[in-house]
Amino acid sequence: MSGARVRAALAGIADAAGLSLAERSVPGHVAELSDALDPRDRSWSYLILAVLRTRIPPADDVVAFARRWQSEGLPVAIAPELRRAGRGRGPVARVVNATLVDVTDTSRSPYTTGIQRVARETVAAWKQSIEVCEVCFDPDTGRLRARSDNSPVVPFGGRFVLPEIAVERARSTAIASIARFSRSATLAIGFDCIPMTTAETCGPGMPGAFAHYLSTLARFDVVTPISAAAGDEFRGWRRMLVGVGLEGPRIDDVDLPFTVGDASTVDVRQVLGIDESDPIVLAVGSHEPRKNHVRLLEACEVLWRRGIRFTLVMVGGNAWNTRRFDSLLSRLRRAGRPIVTRSAVDDDVVWGLYRVARVTAFVSLNEGFGLPLAESLAAGTPAVTSSFGSMAAIGAERGALLVDPRSVPDLTDALASAVTDDALHARLVAQTSGVPQGYGWSDYAARVLERLDAVTVEAQGDV
Amino acid sequence: MSGLELGAALRSRLLEAAPVLLTEISRSELSSLTDGQLLRGILESARDSTRRAAWLAYVAIAGAFPVPTQLDDFESALRLASDSTLVKDAVTSIDIGDRRHRRPDREITVVQNLVIADVNFCATHAHNTGIQRVVRSVMPVWRGASHPHLLVAWTDDDAGYRELTEVERARVVEWTHDAPRVTPQPAEPGRIIVPWGATLFLPEVPQYAQCGPIVAMAEAGVVDVDLIGYDVIPITSADSVAAGESERFAIYLDVVKHARSVLAISDTVAAEFEGFVAALPTQGLTGPVVHSVPLAVDVPAGARDAAAAARGTADIPIMVCVGSHEPRKNQEAVLFAAERMHREGHELGVVFVGGGNRVAYADFDRRVRRLRRAGMRVESHRRLDDDGLWRLYGRARFTVFISLHEGFGLPAAESLAVGTPVLVSDSGSLAEIATLGGCLTVDPRDDEAIADGMRRMLEDDELIARLQDEAMSAPTRSWSQYAERLWQLVGKPSAA
C-alpha cells in the first residue's frame, strides 16, 4: 500500500514537471527526477515537499530541502520525506494549475463582516465568468483542500487569489510559500492596514498576526486595496519594505461599489418598537474601540439633554474591549434614554433601517472603506462621518457632514444639525443622488480580475 | 465640601499643579485654599480648557499618568457633570482598580521646558547590545557637553516617570562591562516627574505598558516626542520574529504616530518610517517628521590596535560571521556557502559568533560539529568579549554579514572600522554601509550569488588588498558627532 502511495505522489510530481517516468521502482523515479530537475530552482523543492507531505511546506523547509538536495543529492534529501509519505494515509495531494481562490474564513464563518461580504460577492461574480477552484485551509492539519470534494491540492503554475485576510500563522506561512515558490500569479484584496496603523484599537493578538499576514503579502504580485485611502496605507507599507530588500506587490486600488439591497416589507419601526414620530439616528457596526461609539453615545447624550427628540439605533455585535461602551450605554439606559441595540439582524432589516433613518452616524477612527456609510448614502439617507480617509472620500458632497471624530463637541453639533435642521437635511438628501450608480459587485469583481489577468503572464515562473 | 479632608500627598500634588492650571491665583492665595476649593478650582479649569490641562489635573488627582482612554473618560466626566456633581463625577471616573493607580501617596514634581530622556531599560538592565550601546554612547556626550536634560525611568508599576538612582545613572553615562550585573532594587520612589511643555526624547523603544501613557502625553500636547527610529523589523520582517514582538511593536507605532520627529539610524530606516508616515493621512493624522541621522561608524580606542596586532596571525584564511543567531541574520546561507567552498577545495576557517535562543541554534551547532568531524575548519561561539572580537576581526581575511534585514548593521561597520573587508547584503542599510568602501555586496537571498562572492573573497588577493585599503581609509563618524547631531534636533525649544 505505502509503496503505491509514494509512487502515486512521485508520478504527480513528475506530471506537474512535464516528465513521464519510465522506471518502475521508487529509487528509479527519484533518479529520473534528479536527472531532470535543478535544485537551484526552488519551485521543484516546493512541489516535491508539498505533494509528499500533502500540505504546503513552510518556506524555510523548502530552502533547507533545496540546499540539502544541492549538496548531498536528491536521493539523500528526499529519503526522510519518502519514509514519512509511505507511512501516511489518505489520498495523495493533487497538483492543480487553475485559478484557486482561498475562501477559508468566508466559507467557515457564520458572520457577515465587511470582509466576508466583499469576498462572497466577488467570488460569486467570478464564478459567473471564469472557472474558479475554491480552496480552504484545514484548521487542524493545515492542509489545503478543494472546497468541491475536500481533496488535498497543491497549487502550481496557476493563479492564487486571496479575497479575504489570512491571519492564522500556519495559513499565512503556507500562503507565503505558495507566493514564493509555486509559480502562481498571486492577487490579494487589500482591505486596510489598520492592525499596523491603528493597533491600539485592535483586539489582542491581531496586530501581531496581521504583521505576519503583511509579510506574506510582501511576496504577492498584486494587491487591490478597496479604496484610495486603503491604497495609501498599502503604498505606505510597501515603502516600508525597503529595508527587507523586497519590492513588494503592485498596489492597484479598485474601489468597492456603493450598493444597498432591497428592504423587506417588514415595518422596521414596528419590529424595533420605535414611535412613528421619532427620528432615528442609526449606527451600523460593531462596538469595537475603533468605531468610536463611546464618543457617539456622549454626543447623543448632549443632544438629549438639550431636549432634542430622537431614537438611537445601534446594529452590530461581535466586538472586543467594549467595557467603556457598555458602561456608558447602561448609564444612559438607566437615565431612560431611547437607545435600541441589536447584535444580529437580517440584512433586509438593516437595509430597511437605512431607509427609515433620519441620519446615519459613522464616525470611525480609521476605515478601509466604510460599507455602512456607502450603503446609507446609496439608500438616500444622509450621514455624519469622519473628515478623513475613505469616509471623507465616500461622503464628501454626497450627503455626509464631515466631522473630527475625536471631538465630542464637533460631533454633537453635526448630529444636532442633521436631526433638527430640515433645510440642511433636505440638501444632504439631495446630495445623495451623487452616489455612483450602476457600478455593482459584478463590475467590481471584473475590475479585480483584470488586475489578475495583467499579472498572470509576467508573474508565472517568477521564483 | 468644606469638610473634605484630603490626604497630605493629594494636597501636595494639587498645590504643585495649581500654579500651572490656576494662573490667575497667586501662590500665597493658593496655599490658603481649602482642599475642596483647590480640587474644584483645578477641575473647573480643566473642564474649561484643553485636553492638556485635563491631563495635568488627572495626574495631580491620581498620582499617575493616564492612558488615552482613561483621559477620555476623565474628560467625558468633566463635560457631562453638573456643577454640583463635578468633583464626585471627575474623581470617580478615575479607575482606581488600575495597577498603575495604587499608590495615592506619591508626590509630583512638574518639570517645564526641559529635554527629558527616557532611558528606562539602560538604567535598569545590564544588557548591552544594539540599542543600549547607542544610548550609552550618546548620553555621556550630552552630559559632557552640559546639554541641559533630565534622565528618567519608569516607576516599577509604570505609573509615571521618576529620577534615576546613582547606580542607574552610572549604568547609563559611565557604562563599563564590569558594572554591577545585579539590579539593586531602586528605593520605591515617592515622587513622580511630571513633564509639562517639555521635549520627551526616546532613545529606546519603550515597553508595551509605557506606550499608552506616552501616547496620552503626546496627543494631549504635554510633550513633544522625538525618538530614535531603529528599524521596523517586527513589522516588515514579521515572518522572522515571534508574533508577540510584532504586536508590541505595532503598539509602539502608536507612539511614533504622535511623535514630533523620528531620528532614523540610517537612510534606509528613514525611508521605512517615511513609508509608515505616508500611511497615516488615512486616519486623519500627519505623523512625525523623519530625519536620517546615521549612527557612528567607529570602534572604541584600542580596538584598531588589537585588530592590527592580530593581523596575519592565522594559518589559513579566516572568515568571520558576527550576529545573534536568528533566521533573519541568514547564518544558514553563510554555512551553506562555506560548506560549498570547503567541498570545492578552498582552504578556509569559518568562525560564527553570536548568542541567541538555545533551541534556535541547537540544530545549527549540531551541523557545525558534523562538518568539523568531516574535516572542515568551522567554529560557532556563543560568547566572546570585546577584546576577543577585535582580535578575531584582525585575524580574519574578511567578515560576512548578509543579514536579510538590518536597521544599521553595526558588525559590518565595526569590521570596516578596524580595516577588515566585508561581504555584505546588497540592499537596505547594509548597502548604505557598503558605500563607505571596503565591501563586496551580494543578494542575501541568492545562494549562488553568495557562493560567488565568497569565492572571490577567498581567491582574489588583489580584491582583498583593495577592500582593505578602502576600509582603512573609510571616513569614520564618531559617537560624539552622532550625539551632537541628535542634540541639534532634539534640543531645540519645545512648542508644546
Side-chain angles (χ1 to χ4, degrees):
Chain A
M1 267 316 275
S2 65
R5 191 168 187 275
V6 169
R7 276 196 298 279
L10 293 175
I13 292 164
D15 191 41
L19 306 170
S20 51
L21 296 176
E23 293 285 336
R24 300 184 67 89
S25 70
V26 167
H29 289 338
V30 171
E32 283 177 293
L33 291 175
S34 178
D35 287 345
L37 307 180
D38 183 343
R40 287 175 298 184
D41 179 346
R42 288 172 177 167
S43 63
W44 301 129
S45 294
Y46 157 87
L47 179 67
I48 289 169
L49 291 180
V51 174
L52 286 173
R53 293 180 178 181
T54 331
R55 79 194 59 192
I56 308 300
D60 287 349
D61 286 15
V62 173
V63 171
F65 181 86
R67 285 177 182 154
R68 194 152 188 222
W69 175 359
Q70 200 175 345
S71 57
E72 300 179 51
L74 183 59
V76 172
I78 206 172
E81 303 295 334
L82 293 176
R83 275 198 298 279
R84 224 171 302 152
R87 286 197 300 270
R89 290 177 191 286
V92 168
R94 190 155 48 91
V95 181
V96 179
N97 176 338
T99 302
L100 276 67
V101 183
D102 178 356
V103 291
T104 303
D105 283 347
T106 309
S107 65
R108 206 190 291 155
S109 164
Y111 304 115
T112 307
T113 63
I115 290 174
Q116 281 147 11
R117 171 165 295 169
V118 172
R120 280 203 186 109
E121 299 278 6
T122 307
V123 176
W126 283 339
K127 282 166 144 176
Q128 304 296 316
S129 59
I130 59 163
E131 192 80 19
V132 165
C133 173
E134 288 180 85
V135 292
C136 300
F137 281 91
D138 203 76
D140 307 320
T141 63
R143 287 210 167 101
L144 185 63
R145 294 179 187 278
R147 201 179 167 199
S148 56
D149 60 2
N150 220 26
S151 63
V153 293
V154 172
F156 195 72
R159 317 202 281 188
F160 187 88
V161 180
L162 183 61
E164 45 178 51
I165 69 169
V167 287
E168 302 85 352
R169 198 165 177 107
R171 177 182 174 204
S172 155
T173 299
I175 295 173
S177 197
I178 290 170
R180 273 180 79 176
F181 303 120
S182 79
R183 304 183 173 192
S184 304
T186 46
L187 176 144
I189 294 178
F191 292 89
D192 56 66
C193 295
I194 285 166
M196 173 184 80
T197 59
T198 318
E200 67 280 5
T201 67
C202 292
M206 180 51 108
F210 190 86
H212 194 267
Y213 156 73
L214 281 178
S215 74
T216 292
L217 291 191
R219 304 288 187 165
F220 268 55
D221 294 313
V222 61
V223 169
T224 58
I226 57 173
S227 69
D232 289 342
E233 287 202 326
F234 279 100
R235 275 180 286 276
W237 158 72
R238 186 175 183 271
R239 285 172 63 181
M240 293 170 75
L241 293 173
V242 59
V244 205
L246 293 177
E247 201 182 326
R250 180 181 303 174
I251 309 290
D252 257 348
D253 307 343
V254 181
D255 282 358
L256 289 185
F258 287 56
T259 57
V260 64
D262 292 329
S264 67
T265 50
V266 295
D267 183 338
V268 178
R269 283 183 183 272
Q270 198 182 4
V271 168
L272 299 176
I274 300 168
D275 193 282
E276 203 56 48
S277 63
D278 248 10
I280 292 174
V281 172
L282 175 63
V284 175
S286 68
H287 306 306
E288 61 182 281
R290 179 170 54 89
K291 299 293 181 181
N292 205 25
H293 285 176
V294 176
R295 289 197 185 90
L296 176 62
L297 282 180
E298 190 188 328
C300 288
E301 169 64 5
V302 176
L303 298 198
W304 284 315
R305 286 186 185 186
R306 288 186 196 164
I308 299 173
R309 238 184 99 108
F310 68 97
T311 295
L312 174 65
V313 178
M314 309 188 90
V315 177
N318 186 31
W320 53 88
N321 289 354
T322 57
R323 188 186 54 80
R324 298 175 59 239
F325 173 80
D326 294 339
S327 136
L328 183 52
L329 178 68
S330 52
R331 247 179 71 199
L332 298 185
R333 280 229 168 96
R334 279 198 305 276
R337 300 307 186 193
I339 306 173
V340 175
T341 56
R342 289 289 183 277
S343 59
V345 182
D346 288 339
D347 280 349
D348 55 358
V349 174
V350 178
W351 290 324
L353 271 168
Y354 285 132
R355 290 187 168 86
V356 301
R358 168 86 177 183
V359 59
T360 286
F362 192 75
V363 287
S364 172
L365 301 176
N366 192 357
E367 287 294 321
F369 187 73
L371 276 175
L373 173 64
E375 287 170 344
S376 175
L377 299 179
T381 299
V384 171
T385 197
S386 304
S387 57
F388 48 74
S390 66
M391 293 172 283
I394 289 170
E397 311 291 320
R398 292 195 189 122
L401 290 177
L402 306 184
V403 295
D404 173 1
R406 297 176 183 90
S407 162
V408 173
D410 287 7
L411 188 47
T412 307
D413 291 347
L415 277 176
S417 312
V419 173
T420 60
D421 184 339
D422 289 337
L424 171 70
H425 188 264
R427 278 202 304 280
L428 293 173
V429 171
Q431 279 184 8
T432 62
S433 61
V435 165
Q437 304 290 328
Y439 172 58
W441 285 109
S442 61
D443 305 291
Y444 168 75
R447 288 192 193 181
V448 174
L449 198 56
E450 280 169 23
R451 305 305 197 280
L452 179 61
D453 289 338
V455 297
T456 298
V457 176
E458 61 194 81
Q460 284 175 350
D462 180 304
V463 173
Chain B
M1 277 300 157
S2 56
L4 185 61
E5 276 294 331
L6 302 173
L10 176 57
R11 179 172 178 86
S12 144
R13 291 199 299 268
L14 294 174
L15 279 173
E16 176 74 7
V20 178
L21 294 174
L22 306 175
T23 45
E24 70 285 5
I25 306 177
S26 74
R27 285 197 182 241
S28 57
E29 284 174 294
L30 283 175
S31 53
S32 67
L33 292 178
T34 66
D35 292 355
Q37 287 167 329
L38 204 48
L39 186 54
R40 170 167 285 278
I42 282 176
L43 287 172
E44 281 173 355
S45 115
R47 180 189 62 195
D48 302 335
S49 179
T50 57
R51 186 166 169 87
R52 188 172 174 235
W55 182 87
L56 184 56
Y58 186 108
V59 173
I61 294 168
F65 296 178
V67 300
T69 49
Q70 289 172 332
L71 188 54
D72 284 345
D73 286 344
F74 184 67
E75 283 197 291
S76 175
L78 293 177
R79 279 190 300 257
L80 292 179
S82 65
D83 274 351
S84 65
T85 64
L86 179 68
V87 173
K88 176 176 147 284
D89 288 358
V91 171
T92 57
S93 78
I94 293 173
D95 176 15
I96 53 167
D98 186 326
R99 71 170 183 91
R100 299 178 306 105
H101 287 49
R102 290 179 187 163
R103 287 284 310 275
D105 56 325
R106 286 195 178 112
E107 299 191 39
I108 61 173
T109 299
V110 175
V111 174
Q112 302 194 51
N113 307 319
L114 192 64
V115 173
I116 293 176
D118 176 347
V119 293
N120 186 70
F121 189 88
C122 282
T124 54
H125 295 76
H127 186 81
N128 194 45
T129 58
I131 292 178
Q132 298 80 38
R133 289 169 61 190
V134 173
V135 175
R136 288 172 179 141
S137 301
V138 168
M139 301 322 298
V141 177
W142 281 17
R143 192 176 71 147
S146 301
H147 296 317
H149 66 281
L150 178 66
L151 299 180
V152 296
W154 286 84
T155 60
D156 282 355
D157 55 359
D158 299 313
Y161 282 131
R162 62 173 174 84
E163 289 201 73
L164 268 49
T165 65
E166 277 316 304
V167 171
E168 290 172 336
R169 191 180 312 281
R171 207 180 271 140
V172 175
V173 296
E174 293 161 11
W175 171 259
T176 55
H177 283 281
D178 43 12
R181 290 273 154 185
V182 189
T183 307
Q185 210 53 35
E188 182 45 34
R191 183 169 293 276
I192 284 180
I193 303 290
V194 176
W196 186 253
T199 294
L200 178 57
F201 176 51
L202 302 178
E204 301 178 347
V205 177
Q207 284 164 37
Y208 186 87
Q210 296 150 4
C211 289
I214 293 174
V215 169
M217 282 190 275
E219 41 117 71
V222 173
V223 294
D224 283 328
V225 173
D226 295 327
L227 57 90
I228 298 185
Y230 286 94
D231 59 65
V232 296
I233 286 167
I235 298 294
T236 53
S237 285
D239 49 349
S240 73
V241 304
E245 195 182 326
S246 299
E247 179 117 349
R248 287 190 291 276
F249 193 84
I251 294 297
Y252 165 64
L253 285 178
D254 193 17
V255 173
V256 175
K257 227 156 67 168
H258 294 96
R260 173 175 66 179
S261 69
V262 172
L263 314 163
I265 62 168
S266 66
D267 292 349
T268 299
V269 169
E272 289 177 332
F273 278 95
E274 279 163 359
F276 176 69
V277 170
L280 296 179
T282 290
Q283 55 185 299
L285 298 175
T286 47
V289 175
V290 180
H291 303 280
S292 175
V293 188
L295 289 185
V297 179
D298 204 1
V299 286
R304 284 189 187 82
D305 294 341
R311 211 170 296 288
T313 59
D315 58 337
I316 56 168
I318 303 285
M319 175 177 89
V320 172
C321 179
V322 175
S324 58
H325 198 93
E326 50 184 311
R328 177 169 58 83
K329 302 284 185 180
N330 218 12
Q331 281 104 339
E332 293 285 348
V334 175
L335 184 62
F336 178 63
E339 190 188 341
R340 286 174 70 177
M341 296 304 108
H342 174 68
R343 283 169 192 260
E344 288 174 12
H346 286 286
E347 196 173 43
L348 85 161
V350 187
V351 183
F352 291 92
V353 180
N357 178 322
R358 192 179 294 275
V359 180
Y361 61 65
D363 181 59
F364 183 85
D365 281 359
R366 206 162 27 240
R367 273 176 293 136
V368 164
R369 284 195 297 273
R370 203 168 56 214
L371 289 170
R372 207 160 47 224
R373 281 197 300 275
M376 185 174 160
R377 293 264 297 263
V378 54
E379 304 164 15
S380 178
H381 299 283
R382 295 301 161 203
R383 267 186 180 284
L384 191 63
D385 62 29
D386 279 3
D387 210 46
L389 186 64
W390 307 130
R391 286 199 305 271
L392 184 59
Y393 279 142
R395 283 172 61 217
R397 178 175 171 95
F398 65 101
T399 60
V400 54
F401 197 65
I402 51 169
S403 171
L404 301 174
H405 190 181
E406 290 294 320
F408 185 74
L410 274 175
E414 288 176 341
S415 179
L416 289 181
V418 298
T420 304
V422 194
L423 182 67
V424 78
S425 304
D426 65 355
S427 62
S429 65
L430 293 173
E432 276 179 62
I433 286 184
T435 62
L436 299 172
C439 297
L440 183 66
T441 63
V442 291
D443 177 353
R445 290 181 177 81
D446 181 344
D447 280 352
E448 300 309 307
I450 296 166
D452 290 346
M454 213 175 266
R455 205 176 286 115
R456 283 188 63 194
M457 296 293 257
L458 286 168
E459 290 175 352
D460 191 340
D461 291 339
E462 277 176 33
L463 172 71
I464 290 291
R466 177 170 63 79
L467 295 180
Q468 278 173 343
D469 281 349
E470 287 177 9
M472 289 298 189
S473 55
T476 56
R477 271 195 309 264
S478 71
W479 283 107
S480 71
Q481 286 169 319
Y482 172 71
E484 286 299 336
R485 175 86 183 108
L486 286 181
W487 179 258
Q488 284 168 12
L489 293 162
V490 175
K492 65 187 174 195
S494 168

